Amino acid sequence: MNLENMLTYTPIQWQLVAHILILGFASMAAGFVYFLTTMRDVAPRYRISSVLGAIVMVSAFLLLYAQWQAWQTTFAFQNGEFVRSEGIFSNGFRYLNWLIDVPMLLLQLVVILGLGAAASRRLGTIFVGSGVAMIILGYIGQFYEVTNLTALWVWGGISTVFYIILLYYVWVEIGKAVERMPAPAAATMKSIRWLFLIAWTIYPIAYIMPAILPTADGVVLRQAIYTVADITSKVIYGVLVTKVAVDLSKAEGWTSLSSETEREMVSVN
Ligand code: RET
């Protein structure tokens, strides 16, 4: 059972969480449109990265929409505050969503790193393997956040080992890739490296919230942290990845489909 279910909320706290969840799924819808419309500016060899971005948007949209609905039905307004009524609110669904999104986000990176087939397969395997292990261990740990804080820390600790392996490979592989990339793409890659370190590391803070701030304010803060992390690690990240893909495509002589089509239309006329 998650901490969210054990507390009561003032109308402001309850609304803040509802609004934060809406901000989350609205951003995913916006990102979806962005990845689809910019796809034609990307050369075929990098285009799957936009497809992966769009898949992340759809799955995150559905998850956050469901979380928002659950927040509305789980609590009812009584005597000036929001108290638990029917069902439970579970953050566990987020972890299952990450099982889809984390591999997709990491594979987006593999695509724009521009490695050969064998090196891409090897790195993809390390990324997906450590990402999935990290999430499953955290998923188990979060079940204990109210009943057994030691279990929460232990599962979280083991999960962190896989997270550090993951971060190490992300850091090192981006470092190698910037050496061979043209300047604009290399600069964006460096931002992506920092984005990884910061945006991904705030998820564990949300995970340990029941140990550090087990209050209604802690719940509001946790949902805010999840949302900031989601928008940064999925939407802003995807925009930066697209920018790298467009820069690399241009450097490799790819002219976007739209400008080609426009030119054709002009010559027909
Ligand atoms: C857990 C458990 C506690 C220890 C660590 C964790 C890391 C979670 C991360 C999640 C990233 C999620 C993303 C989702 C995007 O869709 C599992 C909370 C280290 C890094 C990027």
Side-chain angles (χ1 to χ4, degrees):
M1 195 78 127
N2 286 141
L3 176 67
E4 278 77 356
N5 302 290
M6 322 309 273
L7 303 161
T8 60
Y9 302 90
T10 66
I12 293 184
Q13 287 166 332
W14 185 88
Q15 287 179 85
L16 277 174
V17 172
H19 296 168
I20 288 165
L21 290 168
I22 293 175
L23 174 66
F25 69 74
S27 306
M28 302 305 145
F32 180 70
V33 174
Y34 180 82
F35 296 132
L36 288 189
T37 49
T38 54
M39 205 177 271
R40 59 188 183 183
D41 300 331
V42 175
R45 104 174 250 226
Y46 303 113
R47 198 166 296 152
I48 189 72
S49 163
S50 302
V51 176
L52 293 170
I55 294 171
V56 169
M57 292 302 104
V58 172
S59 84
F61 176 90
L62 292 173
L63 175 270
L64 293 171
Y65 188 82
Q67 290 296 86
W68 171 63
Q69 297 262 295
W71 184 255
Q72 314 247 57
T73 54
T74 308
F75 301 95
F77 191 57
Q78 260 169 35
N79 306 324
E81 58 176 11
F82 280 86
V83 297
R84 192 137 141 254
S85 63
E86 271 171 49
I88 58 166
F89 180 83
S90 175
N91 289 305
F93 294 117
R94 287 185 180 272
Y95 290 70
L96 299 181
N97 167 256
W98 299 343
L99 274 183
I100 302 171
D101 290 356
V102 164
M104 301 288 152
L105 294 170
L106 292 166
L107 292 176
Q108 273 186 288
L109 183 61
V110 173
V111 172
I112 57 159
L113 284 175
L115 304 164
S120 291
R121 215 171 305 124
R122 178 176 166 271
L123 188 63
T125 309
I126 296 174
F127 275 175
V128 174
S130 47
V132 166
M134 169 188 88
I135 295 162
I136 291 177
L137 292 163
Y139 175 67
I140 300 172
Q142 58 88 35
F143 283 117
Y144 297 102
E145 66 177 36
V146 172
T147 51
N148 184 348
L149 285 183
T150 310
L152 180 77
W153 282 108
V154 171
W155 288 106
I158 312 173
S159 165
T160 305
V161 175
F162 289 96
Y163 179 48
I164 289 170
I165 295 173
L166 189 59
L167 267 188
Y168 170 82
Y169 277 98
V170 167
W171 196 266
V172 169
E173 290 299 328
I174 293 182
K176 284 194 231 158
V178 292
E179 312 267 312
R180 22 170 225 269
M181 285 185 177
T188 313
M189 281 308 270
K190 286 187 189 153
S191 310
I192 291 178
R193 190 153 73 160
W194 282 108
L195 183 146
F196 252 101
L197 188 66
I198 298 165
W200 285 49
T201 302
I202 57 185
Y203 285 98
I205 300 175
Y207 173 89
I208 53 159
M209 196 56 80
I212 54 177
L213 192 63
T215 64
D217 284 336
V219 165
V220 176
L221 186 60
R222 158 143 90 175
Q223 296 301 324
I225 288 176
Y226 275 140
T227 303
V228 169
D230 278 347
I231 295 176
T232 317
S233 71
K234 301 183 228 241
V235 185
I236 299 177
Y237 168 78
V239 170
L240 294 180
V241 166
T242 305
K243 191 176 174 303
V244 172
V246 169
D247 285 343
L248 293 177
S249 304
K250 274 192 201 140
E252 290 164 19
W254 168 259
T255 30
S256 86
L257 288 180
S258 53
S259 48
E260 249 171 42
T261 325
E262 264 166 39
R263 228 173 294 129
E264 265 166 37
M265 286 169 74
V266 170
S267 64
V268 167
N269 289 333

